[in-house]
């Protein structure tokens, strides 16, 4: 049990570090070509989550790669949202600040839960595969739903 908790914390930390550099790379490339919209990221993330449900245990590594790519894309968007909120912080009243803080806290909490399931998915045995796959998918859907709701509220200039 202690090993799983340590693994979960480590996975959450590792998955939390990469998005910051990816966010800056994505923001620059998005400014250059203007092609990646929130709608496109939502579609890609949804497609990846649906595809993962169809993988069998013998395709675990492929499913884990797809899950990681999907999480990275969502992490970039969450980091960009956080940057927009930070940029507008001084313009927000106390209630809006509290709402933004609460929204970001919910995203972070759900992101950690998804990281835990991702670790299980990536390292699962064939016997545990279906449970890990379902757990990951359910936690990921919850995170995606929270992000979509936040994106409607804090989406910013890239909405089309």
């Amino acid at each position: 049990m202690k090993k799983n908790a340590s693994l979960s914390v480590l996975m959450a930390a590792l998955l939390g570090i990469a998005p910051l550099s990816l966010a800056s790379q994505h923001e620059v490339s998005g400014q250059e070509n203007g092609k990646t919209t929130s709608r496109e990221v939502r579609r890609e993330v949804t497609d990846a989550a649906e595809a993962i449900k169809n993988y069998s245990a013998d395709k675990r590594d492929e499913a884990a790669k797809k899950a990681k790519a999907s999480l990275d894309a969502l992490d970039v968007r969450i980091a960009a949202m956080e940057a927009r909120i930070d940029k507008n912080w001084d313009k927000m009243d106390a209630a809006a600040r509290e709402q933004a803080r609460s929204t970001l806290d919910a995203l972070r909490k759900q992101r950690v839960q998804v990281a835990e399931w991702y670790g299980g998915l990536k390292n699962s045995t064939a016997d545990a595969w279906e449970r890990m796959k379902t757990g990951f998918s359910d936690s990921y859907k919850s995170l995606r739903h929270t992000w979509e709701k936040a994106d409607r509220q804090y989406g910013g200039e890239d909405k089309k």
Side-chain angles (χ1 to χ4, degrees):
M1 182 62 136
K2 188 174 183 176
K3 181 181 176 187
N4 283 344
S6 297
L7 179 62
S8 296
V9 170
L10 178 61
M11 287 299 297
L14 289 174
L15 292 173
I17 293 169
L20 297 176
S21 64
L22 288 172
S24 62
Q25 291 172 359
H26 178 66
E27 288 301 308
V28 170
S29 66
Q31 290 171 356
E32 289 174 1
N33 63 28
K35 291 183 181 178
T36 303
T37 66
S38 294
R39 179 176 292 147
E40 290 168 337
V41 172
R42 273 194 297 272
R43 183 178 28 83
E44 290 170 11
V45 167
T46 301
D47 291 349
E50 290 299 316
I52 289 166
K53 284 197 275 186
N54 297 321
Y55 282 101
S56 60
D58 61 331
K59 299 282 187 173
R60 181 187 66 207
D61 292 341
E62 191 176 332
K65 286 178 187 175
K66 193 112 168 149
K68 177 74 169 105
S70 182
L71 287 172
D72 287 348
L74 191 55
D75 285 342
V76 167
R77 302 309 294 176
I78 292 170
M81 178 186 300
E82 188 169 15
R84 281 191 301 276
I85 290 171
D86 288 346
K87 181 180 173 183
N88 294 311
W89 191 258
D90 292 336
K91 299 174 191 172
M92 300 167 109
D93 63 21
R97 286 178 180 181
E98 184 58 34
Q99 167 104 30
R101 186 176 299 121
S102 176
T103 297
L104 290 172
D105 287 347
L107 283 169
R108 286 185 196 107
K109 181 180 177 182
Q110 288 179 327
R111 180 60 180 87
V112 168
Q113 290 172 345
V114 173
E116 291 171 353
W117 282 108
Y118 170 74
L121 181 80
K122 193 169 103 171
N123 298 306
S124 69
T125 63
D127 293 339
W129 176 250
E130 288 301 319
R131 186 173 63 84
M132 290 297 124
K133 190 169 67 165
T134 300
F136 175 84
S137 180
D138 291 348
S139 67
Y140 189 84
K141 283 179 189 176
S142 179
L143 172 62
R144 189 184 75 219
H145 174 74
T146 301
W147 177 79
E148 288 173 351
K149 182 178 174 186
D151 188 54
R152 285 189 297 272
Q153 186 167 1
Y154 304 108
E157 58 278 348
D158 67 341
K159 295 178 94 173
K160 292 186 179 179

